[in-house]
Amino acid sequence: MDSTVDSLNNAYQEFVVAAANVLEAEEISGAQKTAATDAALENFKQRWDLFRVACDQADEFMESVKQRIGSECLVDEATGSLARKPGQSANTGLPRISAVQLEQTSKIVRWLVIELQHGSGTGASHSHPSAPFDARFSEDAAQ
């Protein structure tokens, strides 16, 4: 996370410096178009593009963190391993399942999603843990 923040901060600082350079070049040239103003504008455009890339990467990182936290909360809730606060009801209305059952169900759902994306949509039930490998999910990569 620190590297993502550092990357975003560096890109922002370079963007701000490039903007200041454009203003300085414009002031020196008396608002006339010169090679210096063109160079400053080109540098500004490049720094803007790099800043946008850094923002997109930070956004992707945040999305992955949100998904990971959501998955962890789902596992905690489903397996009943949440730490309860005093006075908090222990019954959420959801039946408890084992982590193994949750993982198998998750693999089946992913397998069905892949099947639907490829257009087969047979809807056949595959209740065994031999769902196909999907590199988007880190737990599948360990297989």
Side-chain angles (χ1 to χ4, degrees), residues 111-112 115-116 119-126:
W111 187 84
L112 289 172
E115 198 174 69
L116 289 171
S120 65
T122 61
S125 175
H126 297 277

Side-chain angles (χ1 to χ4, degrees), residues 77 81-92 96:
E77 183 66 32
S81 60
L82 285 176
R84 302 281 179 211
K85 295 178 184 172
Q88 183 181 12
S89 171
N91 183 8
T92 62
R96 300 288 177 225

Side-chain angles (χ1 to χ4, degrees), residues 12-142:
Y12 175 75
Q13 293 301 326
E14 291 172 3
F15 172 65
V16 169
V17 167
N21 290 342
V22 168
L23 295 174
E24 184 178 332
E26 289 279 327
E27 185 177 323
I28 291 171
S29 72
Q32 299 296 316
K33 183 176 179 168
T34 65
T37 58
D38 287 348
L41 285 170
E42 182 60 31
N43 184 48
F44 175 76
K45 182 185 178 302
Q46 290 172 355
R47 297 302 166 197
W48 168 246
D49 289 341
L50 291 172
F51 179 61
R52 286 184 20 211
V53 168
C55 287
D56 290 344
Q57 290 172 342
D59 188 48
E60 289 173 12
F61 176 75
M62 292 306 298
E63 284 300 316
S64 71
V65 168
K66 287 193 311 190
Q67 288 177 355
R68 188 176 331 138
I69 290 171
S71 295
E72 289 171 2
C73 289
L74 176 64
V75 169
D76 289 347
E77 183 66 32
T79 60
S81 60
L82 285 176
R84 302 281 179 211
K85 295 178 184 172
Q88 183 181 12
S89 171
N91 183 8
T92 62
L94 297 174
R96 300 288 177 225
I97 62 173
S98 72
V100 173
Q101 287 174 312
L102 183 61
E103 181 179 357
Q104 288 174 343
T105 303
S106 176
K107 286 181 181 182
I108 291 168
V109 168
R110 281 196 304 270
W111 187 84
L112 289 172
V113 166
I114 291 168
E115 198 174 69
L116 289 171
Q117 287 173 340
H118 293 316
S120 65
T122 61
S125 175
H126 297 277
S127 60
H128 51 81
S130 62
F133 172 80
D134 186 347
R136 295 176 298 169
F137 300 97
S138 60
E139 62 268 17
D140 285 350

